[in-house]
Amino acid sequence: MRFVSTRGQTSPLSFSEAVATGLAPDGGLLVPENLPGIGDLLPSWASLDYPSLCDQFFRLFATDLSEGELRPMIDRAYGGFDHPDIAPLRPIGDGRYVLELFHGPTLAFKDFALQFLGRLYGRQIRETGRPINVLGATSGDTGAAAIHGLLHLEGVRQFVLYPKGRISDLQERQMACTGSDHVFPLAIDGSFDDTQRIVKTIFGDGAFKVRHGLSAVNSINLARVLAQCVYYLYAWLRLNSSERTDVTFVVPTGNFGNVLAGWLCHRMGVPGLRFRVATNRNDILYRFFTTGIYSVREVESSLAPSMDIQIASNFERYLFYLAGGDSRRIRDVMTRLSEEGRLEWTLTADDRFDATRSSDDEILDQIRRVHDEYGFLIDPHTACGFTCPGEGRTEIILATASPAKFPSVMKAAVGEAPRHPNLEDLKARPMNIHSLPAEVDAVRAFITDHLPS
Ligand SMILES: *Cc1c(COP(=O)(O)O)cnc(C)c1O
């Protein structure tokens, strides 16, 4: 299997090269040259446990890895999850289910991709003999998941920028209390946009990037999307045959990476799937799916901070498939989007996703309602998935984070905050944080000073 860029101006890459590359050199995103059909394989996959399913699925893509290399990486990636099913599917009645994706080490679904990506990076370092260092910006969950996904890699240093005072205390502790002197959480005096701008500028300096072996661990890495396909398959396979024919996955959405993974399963031949994107007040994707117009506005902060995003990075992959793989059209559209902050697309009924959005008040209401009706707590991101009642189809709502990560929102909604032992343990540990101004030069100097010369 080879991987090509959505913008068509990068030579095809192997799986390992695609993992190492992240963003394609022509500015596009990498996609499989041909999506394999998996419809015929589904019956034989029905009885597999999570790691075995993941192994079977990745064999279709990671064809340059030798036999037997994948499985140990998968076992280690998911060995640290605290539920035997890895991604348990919890029935809540009336044909509705909650797919719990928060049983990984940082209690958010990003662990599914980043635990595995960490193992793939480990292999890359062993094969090439070249160390990597990670530079990234986070609005909370990605940074923690990346840090914990790569923590075991000897010699790898991680620099993660976040907006000071704008992530939750526990999210900050997940990054700052690892006890590792190779992890550098950088509290930036500015907004999430500032942190992203700084990271982008530093990556734009090719010489600096190469000299320091810097690598990004962001949601555009194809391995992340593919790792997320597996829990859609796993959930679908848990349903009985009558439920499987009409399934809506409801996906709390920001960067469009998670829901894209589900949609790729549909494109690969899993029958009966529909998708509903659930946004918070940053509703660019809601507006797109209801009007066909994608127009960028200012990001507003909300109670679901990991979805406070206006440029959905993975959206380009979706458009590429809608355009039938016409990379020239994607180049035109993406150029216009970056110049005008807007694009228009005519969607067919088959390509359209359902969409909902939730204000902060609605997020609080939904947390309360689920608590009262079903007797359990959902986090503020997952709450966006509960905006409307089921519609008679089987409905699987993705629970993207543990409510224990957001105690103040839980208290505001229901007057109590759940606890999780992983997080309680963090509260007693010393914090290791570096405060920096929102200036490229300050961050650049910090990195240079903290890498071995
Ligand atoms: C990142 C994140 C999301 C959004 O996922 P995307 O792939 O960016 O759409 C939703 N919920 C939580 C808890 C997250 O951390």
Side-chain angles (χ1 to χ4, degrees), residues 108-110 141 252-258 306-307 309 379 381 400-401:
F109 84 93
K110 291 187 174 80
D141 290 328
T253 304
N255 257 321
F256 206 69
N258 197 356
S306 299
M307 292 163 26
I309 286 163
D379 96 287
H381 303 82
T400 51

Side-chain angles (χ1 to χ4, degrees), residues 112-125:
F112 277 87
L114 286 162
Q115 283 293 320
F116 187 45
L117 194 64
R119 312 298 152 169
L120 290 169
Y121 277 166
R123 176 184 181 276
Q124 178 191 323
I125 294 167

Side-chain angles (χ1 to χ4, degrees), residues 403-453:
K405 284 188 96 164
F406 305 94
S408 57
V409 181
M410 294 300 118
K411 278 208 187 96
V414 295
E416 58 175 295
R419 289 165 182 265
H420 190 285
N422 289 10
L423 299 175
E424 293 309 305
D425 177 46
L426 290 177
K427 291 180 186 166
R429 292 211 220 151
M431 304 252 275
N432 168 27
I433 290 173
H434 308 269
S435 287
L436 290 177
E439 288 162 17
V440 174
D441 286 343
V443 175
R444 206 196 300 258
F446 185 94
I447 294 171
T448 311
D449 288 348
H450 290 83
L451 287 178
S453 44

Side-chain angles (χ1 to χ4, degrees), residues 1-4 12-13 31-36 61 222 320-321:
M1 169 77 70
R2 302 194 305 171
F3 298 84
V4 297
L13 303 172
V31 290
E33 193 167 41
N34 298 296
L35 278 182
F61 299 94
L222 183 68
F320 175 80
Y321 287 105

